[in-house]
Every structure is written in structure tokens, then in C-alpha cells.
Amino acid sequence: MMFRVVQFLALSTGVVSVPPMIRWKPLGISGLSFSSIVAQSSSTSSKAAVVSLVFPIVSTQRSGCFRAFRISATLSDSNDSSSSSSSAAFHTTPQMGKIKFCQWCGGPMKHAVPDGDERVRAICTICGEIAYQNPKMVVGCLIEHDNKVLLCKRNIPPSQGRWTLPAGYLEIGESAAKGAIRETWEEAGAEVEIISHFAHLDIPRIGQCYIIFRAKLKKPQFSPGPESMECRLFKLEDIPFDSLAFSSMLVTLKLYVQDIKSGNPKFHCGTINKREGSGPLDIHAYTLDSHLTSDDSLCHSFFVK
């Protein structure tokens, strides 16, 4: 009897052909017992058609009844212009599709727009938790010594064998300045003192935000860490601009050289927009947009040592 009711409801939506493929899935939500029934189309006229029915299972030991069914239908068709236009209104986040399982209960994730939201999120189909994805914070140091800058040759992918400023992901519990000092020690074996902020660069396409500090060596010693093949001080005219690891490093060092030549160091803020279709090694395939600058003297007290 239940199967026929579900079959009727699935067919009545108009997106499931006869006979639908029924898949039962138990759900546990807020102490109640739920089941979901997913009917998938066997029609070749559309790429995907899914009807999802969610309803409470009422125990025979309790009094109760079905008060409502929640029916959601999703239809994707290459010839359906209304479907494509409506989906274009929603925002997607970089690499969102990589989240396949829930970090809280291990259940499979679906990608949809939650109620009251405007972005597609990864939502657990079992416990309902939403896995929000936020940009990664990368922090590092532009180290000045004897009119030279310290660069590290990467010993790990991506961009292995290319030059970069010592930088890496910020850890929980660190300030940006503390993280930059730690990364410099790990990659270049150098103890540094931060002088000021130098650049804040956002790369929306890959979900990263860079904060780079100007710094100086406390001691003249440095040596490559496990992630570096080599560390070296470069004169400004010898910086290997065509062998840098990332566009963020290219932008940072170009701005620095310009500032030094003008005799007016600044704090830079901007957005690096990578060209569509470009790869990690296409370090010149970008535009620097919304570029703002301020006097360097204003940036000395913005971090906590």
C-alpha cells in the first residue's frame, strides 16, 4: 500500500517515468524516525530527474498519523532554459563538490541552497548539518636583508622547484603575524622580526587570502627546511620573476620592487583575478583589480607580536 502511495505521488510530479526506481533510506532527525524515498527517472529525455519524499514513520505503539508529505522535485535537462537560468542565480563556492561525506556523522552530502541562504552549500542528508566552506588564509614574510630579499625554492608540489616567499596556511590559534613568523622558520630556518604589513591579496577563484608582512632577519643565518630545496638572498634585479611559484608571489614582489625604486614603501590591498582556464603555473595569467595603497607608516601597529 505504501509503495503505491509513493509511486502515485512520484508520478504525479511529472518528472518520473513508469516504472520509477524506488530507493528507501532511513533517516534519524531530532529523535524522530524518518524515511526518505527517492524516485529516479528512467527517461532519456532528461539528464537527471529526482523526486524526494520525506515523511515520519509512525510506530504502531503510538497514536499518530501522517500530517504532511514534503515532496521536492529536481529536473535537469540540457534543453530546459528555465532550469539553467534559475540555477545561475545561485552562488557556488570553489571546490565545493569535493565534500562528499559529513564530518559529523559520515553521511553522504547533497549540494543545495538551504532555507534563508542564497548559496549552494554541502548539506548532510542524514543529520542535516551544513559544511560551510570559507577562504583559506595564507601568511608569509617578505624578508629584507642587505638590500636583498630572501626566497625559498619549493621542495613540494604544487610548483615544486620554483621560488617563493616563505609562506603557508595560518593555523587555528595563531595571529597572522605569528603564523608568518612560524612559516618563515619552518621553510627558511630564519628568525625574523616583522616590520609592517605589506600586502593583503585576495584570490577568489581558488578561495585564498594572502597576508604578507615585511620583515628583517634577527640573525644572518638561514637554511632550507623540509619543504624547501634551497634558500637564497636575491638582489632586486636578480629576482627570478619567470620562475616564481605563484601569481601571488609575482604580484607581491613586483609591488615591492616598485615601492623600493620609488623610495616610498606602501601597504597594498587588491584582488588577483586569475584568467579563466589558466593553471597554477600560469603565473602571469591574472589581473590585479581593486588595488588600493596606503602609507607604510600607518601599518606598523596593526598586528600583535
Side-chain angles (χ1 to χ4, degrees):
M1 177 64 182
M2 180 59 64
F3 176 87
R4 292 187 177 183
V5 171
V6 171
Q7 187 178 40
F8 170 77
L9 289 171
L11 291 172
S12 67
T13 64
V15 299
V16 180
S17 62
V18 181
M21 181 179 69
I22 302 297
R23 177 164 53 87
W24 293 79
K25 186 174 187 180
L27 300 177
I29 305 176
S30 302
L32 299 177
S33 179
F34 281 73
S35 282
S36 70
I37 300 177
V38 177
Q40 295 180 333
S41 173
S42 60
S43 172
T44 58
S45 62
S46 63
K47 290 184 179 179
V50 179
V51 175
S52 178
L53 308 176
V54 180
F55 55 88
I57 297 176
V58 181
S59 171
T60 56
Q61 297 178 355
R62 300 180 184 180
S63 61
C65 62
F66 293 110
R67 296 189 178 183
F69 281 89
R70 187 181 70 207
I71 304 177
S72 61
T74 302
L75 177 62
S76 175
D77 196 314
S78 59
N79 297 321
D80 188 357
S81 59
S82 62
S83 174
S84 61
S85 62
S86 62
S87 63
F90 298 125
H91 301 283
T92 57
T93 55
Q95 302 178 343
M96 183 182 60
K98 290 187 176 182
I99 299 182
K100 296 182 179 180
F101 299 100
C102 178
Q103 61 179 316
W104 291 278
C105 73
M109 305 295 276
K110 67 177 181 179
H111 296 93
V113 180
D115 293 340
D117 205 334
E118 61 177 11
R119 291 179 178 268
V120 175
R121 310 286 187 183
I123 308 170
C124 181
T125 58
I126 302 298
C127 69
E129 289 286 348
I130 300 173
Y132 291 97
Q133 292 177 277
N134 305 107
K136 294 286 188 180
M137 181 72 74
V138 181
V139 292
C141 287
L142 197 165
I143 302 162
E144 306 166 323
H145 185 74
D146 290 341
N147 298 316
K148 300 175 183 178
V149 294
L150 181 63
L151 299 181
C152 304
K153 182 179 284 188
R154 289 178 61 83
N155 194 34
I156 57 174
S159 301
Q160 187 172 7
R162 289 179 168 246
W163 294 93
T164 181
L165 296 171
Y169 290 121
L170 185 67
E171 299 284 359
I172 298 272
E174 288 182 326
S175 67
K178 290 293 186 182
I181 291 171
R182 173 187 53 77
E183 286 289 342
T184 300
W185 172 253
E186 291 177 356
E187 296 186 6
E191 295 185 44
V192 297
E193 178 183 345
I194 287 180
I195 300 171
S196 68
H197 283 82
F198 179 70
H200 176 149
L201 301 169
D202 297 317
I203 311 181
R205 184 182 166 195
I206 59 174
Q208 290 184 353
C209 171
Y210 281 74
I211 294 181
I212 304 297
F213 297 91
R214 286 176 60 204
K216 62 181 181 180
L217 291 172
K218 288 184 176 180
K219 302 176 183 178
Q221 292 82 23
F222 55 86
S223 60
E227 296 183 3
S228 302
M229 297 180 181
E230 180 184 355
C231 297
R232 189 193 305 177
L233 288 166
F234 287 88
K235 295 180 180 179
L236 299 190
E237 59 269 23
D238 294 332
I239 292 174
F241 282 106
D242 290 328
S243 300
L244 295 177
F246 310 109
S247 295
S248 56
M249 300 295 104
L250 178 62
V251 171
T252 299
L253 289 166
K254 278 190 171 183
L255 293 173
Y256 177 73
V257 171
Q258 291 173 9
D259 285 359
I260 296 301
K261 288 183 177 180
S262 68
N264 183 24
K266 302 180 182 70
F267 170 68
H268 299 266
C269 180
T271 300
I272 298 175
N273 286 311
K274 295 284 286 186
R275 188 176 63 213
E276 191 69 28
S278 62
L281 296 182
D282 297 326
I283 61 172
H284 297 279
Y286 72 89
T287 59
L288 178 60
D289 302 317
S290 305
H291 182 202
L292 303 174
T293 62
S294 64
D295 187 270
D296 181 69
S297 62
L298 299 176
C299 306
H300 283 266
S301 301
F302 288 176
F303 59 90
V304 179
K305 292 184 178 181

